[in-house]
């Protein structure tokens, strides 16, 4: 992909019908994973045939097209992004946009299992911050939640990331009856290590073989319980994401809440999501999508891709409409989180 040539076409920046500038692209580079978290995947997941995947070069070309159209922040996710073969080649090629200054930030959301191997390389390529998903500090519980994961491997990965100078934010999904008793301890642990901590509410995406009602724990309850133990002061801190932050007076650290169900975060949405097959989702909570693989493969230039992206953005909805209650036990969407990467 000749980015300079593409840039010389001065593609039009992306603004959706509600006036929101689209400056953040999340890319699910694989739907595969070395874990099988109970809220994310069924144990016997069927993954995409490898032949359906975009090559790393094609992913680079699409990401670069979005950057040419004004995207300033890129997050690699999955599935587990760091298990995609050759992933560091993609990070290396994308890092050229950091070097030229057209991209502000390249980040990764990971389960941490491969960080011991890749942390130094990520830091060397200009990645400054990463999110690591970790729902418990108890090894047995960790195994129950992730089915296939090893806590020590993840803790080792987090330590390697911090040694490499990466800022680490810990993301934990709040699960009823599973880790709700541990959230306060995890906040203390993360803050004592100098890491931000964010709690995420379970979203009803994909059939995972367990009832959503069994897993769903409203963050309003989590927050109320944390407030019994800590002093939570609202702060304005924003990372461009949907989290609302408080400062925990006792630890001095930042605590975020991502509450798609109990709080609507759509009005300031600046993001779209690209899957590893080149499908663009304009909203995490809606089924509508645009195929970018066909226009990408139809010609070597990027005009068709730009036109397809422009058309897709005209369809970005105002917001989503997740519901988990007794009348809505089915997933709100058939798609799993590992398709779009959260
Ligand atoms: C799909 S994972 C992909 C990246 C990487 N494998 C990881 O776990 O960080 C991204 C995030 O989505 C969260 N997630 C997965 N399924 C979810 C669900 N149904 N509701 C809320 N969060 C979910 C995970 O906990 C993780 O923080
Ligand atoms: S949450 Fe992340 S680590 Fe867990 S199964 Fe989903 S993709 Fe894998």
């Amino acid at each position: 992909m000749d980015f300079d040539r593409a840039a010389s076409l001065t593609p039009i920046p992306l603004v959706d019908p509600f006036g929101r500038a689209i400056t953040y692209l999340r890319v699910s580079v694989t739907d595969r994973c070395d874990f099988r978290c109970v809220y994310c995947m069924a144990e016997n997941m069927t993954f995409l045939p490898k032949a359906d995947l975009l090559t790393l070069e094609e992913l680079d070309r699409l990401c670069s097209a979005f950057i040419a159209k004004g995207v300033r922040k890129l997050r690699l996710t999955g599935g587990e992004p760091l298990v995609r073969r050759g992933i560091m080649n993609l990070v290396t090629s994308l890092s050229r946009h950091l070097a030229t200054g057209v991209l502000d930030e390249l980040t990764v959301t990971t389960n941490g299992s491969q960080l011991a191997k890749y942390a130094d390389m990520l830091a060397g390529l200009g990645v400054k911050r990463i999110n690591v998903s970790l729902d418990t500090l108890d090894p047995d519980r960790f195994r129950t939640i992730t089915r296939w994961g090893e806590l020590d491997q993840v803790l080792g990965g987090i330590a390697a990331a911090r040694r490499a100078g990466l800022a680490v934010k810990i993301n934990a999904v709040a699960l009823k009856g599973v880790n709700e008793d541990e959230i306060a301890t995890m906040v203390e642990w993360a803050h004592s290590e100098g890491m931000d901590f964010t709690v995420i509410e379970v979203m009803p995406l994909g059939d995972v073989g367990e009832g959503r009602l069994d897993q769903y724990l409203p963050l309003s309850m989590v927050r109320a319980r944390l407030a019994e133990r800590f002093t939570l002061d609202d702060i304005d801190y924003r990372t461009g994401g949907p989290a609302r932050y408080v400062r925990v007076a006792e630890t001095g650290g930042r605590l975020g809440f991502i509450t798609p169900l109990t709080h609507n975060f759509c009005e300031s949405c600046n993001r779209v999501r690209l899957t590893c097959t080149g499908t663009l989702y304009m909203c995490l909570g809606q089924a509508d999508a645009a195929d970018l693989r066909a226009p990408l493969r139809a010609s070597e230039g990027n005009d068709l891709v730009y036109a397809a992206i422009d058309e897709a953005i005209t369809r970005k909805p105002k917001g989503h409409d997740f519901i988990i209650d007794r009348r809505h036990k089915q997933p709100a969407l058939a798609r799993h989180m590992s398709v779009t990467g959260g």
Side-chain angles (χ1 to χ4, degrees):
M1 146 81 193
D2 180 351
F3 179 70
D4 295 332
R5 188 164 62 84
S8 72
L9 298 172
T10 53
I12 308 156
L14 299 170
V15 178
D16 80 359
F18 305 96
R20 297 170 297 194
I22 307 306
T23 54
Y24 181 11
L25 177 68
R26 299 176 65 106
V27 188
S28 176
V29 297
T30 175
D31 64 330
R32 289 166 195 254
C33 187
D34 51 344
F35 292 1
R36 289 289 180 280
C37 301
V38 290
Y39 48 80
C40 179
M41 294 192 182
E43 189 154 21
N44 57 345
M45 286 287 285
T46 311
F47 292 108
L48 294 163
K50 290 222 166 93
D52 284 2
L53 298 194
L54 296 183
T55 64
L56 293 171
E57 291 72 22
E58 287 173 324
L59 277 171
D60 179 68
R61 207 179 129 199
L62 273 185
C63 290
S64 301
F66 274 95
I67 293 166
K69 287 186 77 59
V71 159
R72 312 258 344 157
K73 175 172 170 180
L74 203 70
R75 178 176 297 278
L76 304 182
T77 172
E80 174 46 42
L82 300 183
V83 301
R84 169 120 193 211
R85 186 171 307 187
I87 185 65
M88 283 302 146
N89 296 336
L90 180 63
V91 179
T92 303
S93 71
L94 290 174
S95 71
R96 73 189 186 279
H97 299 309
L98 291 172
T100 60
V102 288
L103 188 64
D104 292 332
E105 200 174 22
L106 179 58
T107 58
V108 180
T109 296
T110 173
N111 66 21
S113 69
Q114 310 301 312
L115 274 178
K117 191 154 86 191
Y118 290 134
D120 284 333
M121 233 185 287
L122 288 170
L125 289 168
V127 173
K128 299 253 183 304
R129 301 191 295 150
I130 58 170
N131 290 353
V132 180
S133 306
L134 177 63
D135 306 322
T136 177
L137 292 171
D138 177 278
D140 294 332
R141 236 179 228 189
F142 187 81
R143 169 60 61 131
T144 306
I145 295 172
T146 63
R147 293 197 185 101
W148 297 1
E150 282 299 332
L151 178 64
D152 279 351
Q153 196 178 339
V154 171
L155 293 179
I158 292 171
R162 302 192 55 230
R163 275 198 306 276
L166 296 170
V168 177
K169 177 163 81 75
I170 302 292
N171 285 340
V173 176
L175 297 163
K176 188 158 101 186
V178 178
N179 66 353
E180 55 184 308
D181 59 336
E182 216 188 327
I183 292 175
T185 321
M186 291 192 74
V187 170
E188 279 173 337
W189 165 76
H191 288 177
S192 72
E193 300 278 327
M195 301 183 289
D196 286 351
F197 186 83
T198 295
V199 202
I200 306 175
E201 208 162 57
V202 168
M203 292 177 237
L205 295 185
D207 186 356
V208 292
E210 294 184 33
R212 291 288 176 195
L213 260 182
D214 298 341
Q215 298 178 343
Y216 178 53
L217 176 63
L219 287 201
S220 48
M221 276 177 65
V222 175
R223 185 174 171 147
R225 269 188 232 151
L226 288 172
E228 287 168 14
R229 178 142 160 197
F230 301 120
T231 314
L232 308 179
D233 298 320
D234 285 318
I235 51 174
D236 274 343
Y237 178 72
R238 299 302 292 252
T239 56
R244 302 288 146 101
Y245 282 90
V246 297
R247 170 91 50 202
V248 179
E250 289 76 5
T251 63
R254 273 190 299 250
L255 168 63
F257 296 93
I258 300 185
T259 56
L261 293 146
T262 53
H263 192 282
N264 200 320
F265 54 59
C266 303
E267 59 291 346
S268 59
C269 182
N270 60 352
R271 66 197 54 201
V272 288
R273 295 171 161 84
L274 181 67
T275 74
C276 55
T277 57
T279 303
L280 186 71
Y281 285 97
M282 286 72 83
C283 172
L284 178 64
Q286 303 272 3
D288 191 31
D291 173 40
L292 301 183
R293 186 172 57 182
L296 182 78
R297 290 183 175 169
S299 80
E300 285 190 5
N302 278 344
D303 289 359
L304 293 177
V305 173
Y306 291 145
I309 296 173
D310 285 338
E311 188 282 325
I313 297 304
T314 66
R315 287 190 273 137
K316 186 165 165 62
K318 194 164 182 199
H320 64 62
D321 189 21
F322 290 131
I323 304 173
I324 299 181
D325 67 19
R326 298 197 180 277
R327 285 177 301 116
H328 298 81
K329 287 189 181 166
Q330 297 307 313
L333 289 171
R335 179 174 95 226
H336 287 90
M337 189 71 103
S338 48
V339 173
T340 47

